[in-house]
Amino acid sequence: MAILDVLNYPDERLRRPSRPVEAIDERLHGLIEDMLETMYSEQGIGLAAPQINHHLRLLVMDTSDSRDQPLALVNPEITEAQGEQEGEEGCLSLPGIYETVARAAQITVCFQDREGFQREEAFSGLPARCIQHEIDHLDGKLFVDYLSKLKRDRLRKKLEKEKRLQATSA
Ligand code: K1U
Ligand code: ZN
């Protein structure tokens, strides 16, 4: 198992759409284990493959308080979405940035599990939010894309300032 580097915004590789997973084999199982280890070590509740520069339709998550209920969703597709919920989101590719985003409140997701079985499951609350955030990553979309231009401009300035400070202290 290994802890992998997470790409940071505004890295253009985060904008690349991911391709479907074709084979659920030992290699994919190794990638899933590495992604889970990376997610737990970064204290995340989810991680999408493109964030670690693997442009595959694969996400892992664990929204349990006990941090012992890992899930891997291969080729996930939202087949139904209902209602709306506003909630705070963070992103391991934008450390320290938290913003409120509106998402569907309940979703039904079709996916393959890590054994390759086709499943369809309903999610609500934080798991539903997390899956929508991660599927956005698979499509090259980031939660900051939902913010107003004013908020995005403020965020860009904040990140540029942080980069300048890092460069002067190095
Ligand atoms: O995909 C990622 O970058 C991981 C991200 C997932 C996520 C968090 C919150 C809402 C939707 C999706 C994180 O795990 S960020 C860190 C985190 O654990 C967190 C941040 C805010 C609220 C809850 C958890
Ligand atoms: Zn994210």
Side-chain angles (χ1 to χ4, degrees):
M1 292 221 290
I3 295 171
L4 308 166
D5 286 336
V6 176
L7 298 179
N8 267 345
Y9 176 86
D11 194 312
E12 273 307 306
R13 289 172 291 181
L14 289 167
R15 298 301 188 178
R16 218 182 271 173
S18 292
R19 63 183 187 281
V21 171
E22 280 172 10
I24 300 180
D25 52 15
E26 266 180 36
R27 220 165 96 179
L28 193 82
H29 288 157
L31 180 60
I32 290 171
E33 289 309 315
D34 288 349
M35 285 175 64
L36 285 167
E37 194 179 0
T38 306
M39 178 191 80
Y40 286 125
S41 90
E42 301 286 334
Q43 274 94 48
I45 57 168
L47 186 70
Q51 290 180 279
I52 43 107
N53 203 23
H54 283 257
H55 299 276
L56 289 172
R57 298 193 74 82
L58 166 68
L59 68 89
V60 297
M61 59 187 272
D62 186 348
T63 53
S64 70
D65 288 336
S66 48
R67 312 286 284 153
D68 60 357
Q69 284 167 49
L71 267 183
L73 277 63
V74 180
N75 297 325
E77 298 282 348
I78 295 174
T79 53
E80 255 186 83
Q82 282 177 334
E84 194 180 276
Q85 56 167 345
E86 285 208 332
E88 192 169 73
E89 294 193 14
C91 182
L92 298 179
S93 296
L94 281 128
I97 308 291
Y98 297 92
E99 293 287 349
T100 301
V101 180
R103 300 276 188 188
Q106 292 105 25
I107 54 171
T108 304
V109 187
C110 230
F111 61 97
Q112 286 159 277
D113 65 19
R114 63 178 100 183
E115 308 309 328
F117 292 110
Q118 193 68 44
R119 296 169 64 149
E120 189 169 43
E121 276 187 36
F123 296 88
S124 58
L126 186 59
R129 173 171 298 283
C130 184
I131 291 172
Q132 290 171 80
H133 177 114
E134 304 308 335
I135 290 181
D136 272 353
H137 275 303
L138 307 185
D139 295 329
K141 196 164 180 176
L142 300 170
F143 82 109
V144 288
D145 300 344
Y146 294 102
L147 305 180
S148 66
K149 186 172 170 345
L150 181 70
K151 275 195 170 172
R152 263 185 289 132
D153 285 347
R154 277 195 198 139
L155 177 66
R156 187 176 41 78
K157 282 182 190 145
K158 185 180 164 183
L159 293 170
E160 279 168 5
K161 191 176 169 187
E162 275 172 14
K163 217 172 166 182
R164 274 200 308 276
L165 285 172
Q166 273 170 11
T168 52
S169 66

